[in-house]
Amino acid sequence: MAARIEHLVTSGQFSLDGGTWDVDNNVWLVGDDHEVIVIDAAHDADAIAEAVGDRRLSAILCTHAHNDHIDAAPALAERTGAPIWLHPDDLPLWKQTHPDRLPDHWLADGQVIEVAGAGLTVLHTPGHAPGAVCLHAPGLGTVFTGDTLFAGGPGATGRSYSHFPTIIDSLRDRLLALPPDTVVHTGHGDSTTIGAEAPHLEEWIARGH
């Protein structure tokens, strides 16, 4: 059975630099009837575990370590036995939320995570966070971008550990070079395509944020 993509929206709060905001997060599941991975275990371990059902959860992948993307990861890991994967450059952010629980494995640029016959290639795309990654599944015609690329532009870079020129480099060199028909599944809000976003790179640079 071919891998498929499932989508869940969870709600909670994002906190950084002394501010807190209410947010809705996209949680993505990739797998088949037998095994699945979760991309960004946000806010609600119970809801995510219900979506996983009786399938084997083989990995919890974190696109970055802002609290709203990882807050439910340890609870989900404890319930399911699944390992948590994070890029090591985001460990300082991770420790702000989970000081007593390290990730189980480190993501590396170019690494391929396999589930249900589909391969997800790790693209290190710093800027929104130092260890931000996107997960490109060419067999599914999809890239999961976390908060690096949204419908309408790059992720925010106005807070600690973020850097606007770096996210522009990541977008230009890594993401916008993907096939135009690649579907972009984001960390918040609506999905888009590489082809819909790529023509606007110069506008984003001129906007400067």
Side-chain angles (χ1 to χ4, degrees):
M1 176 175 292
R4 62 181 183 271
I5 298 167
E6 299 163 44
H7 178 216
L8 184 68
V9 177
T10 59
S11 300
Q13 292 185 321
F14 166 55
S15 299
L16 188 66
D17 298 340
T20 297
W21 301 265
D22 291 331
V23 287
D24 296 327
N25 282 62
N26 293 325
V27 180
W28 301 98
L29 290 79
V30 182
D32 59 15
D33 289 346
H34 306 290
E35 67 168 336
V36 67
I37 60 168
V38 163
I39 300 171
D40 288 346
H43 308 309
D44 191 338
D46 290 340
I48 300 169
E50 186 175 334
V52 170
D54 60 2
R55 294 177 288 182
R56 183 173 75 89
L57 180 58
S58 56
I60 300 165
L61 306 181
C62 306
T63 61
H64 62 297
H66 285 151
N67 74 290
D68 56 318
H69 292 256
I70 62 166
D71 49 3
L76 185 63
E78 189 171 330
R79 285 180 60 154
T80 61
I84 299 169
W85 291 75
L86 177 74
H87 192 282
D89 289 357
D90 257 19
L91 185 58
L93 279 167
W94 172 275
K95 286 183 172 178
Q96 290 184 12
T97 303
H98 301 302
D100 301 320
R101 180 10 169 141
L102 290 175
D104 300 293
H105 302 294
W106 300 122
L107 293 169
D109 186 64
Q111 175 182 7
V112 178
I113 306 286
E114 294 190 359
V115 60
L120 283 76
T121 301
V122 177
L123 306 176
H124 182 210
T125 51
H128 179 70
V133 300
C134 298
L135 299 159
H136 180 217
L140 299 174
T142 298
V143 62
F144 301 91
T145 57
D147 290 1
T148 295
L149 177 63
F150 292 111
T157 52
R159 304 190 183 100
S160 295
Y161 299 98
S162 64
H163 190 242
F164 180 74
T166 301
I167 203 171
I168 289 297
D169 287 345
S170 292
L171 292 170
R172 178 194 291 116
D173 300 339
R174 309 304 304 275
L175 285 184
L176 300 184
L178 296 176
D181 59 352
T182 303
V183 176
V184 176
H185 286 323
T186 61
H188 308 271
D190 295 333
S191 297
T192 180
T193 65
I194 293 297
E197 303 305 322
H200 301 289
L201 177 65
E202 297 305 322
E203 296 169 31
W204 302 339
I205 295 170
R207 217 163 58 200
H209 59 79

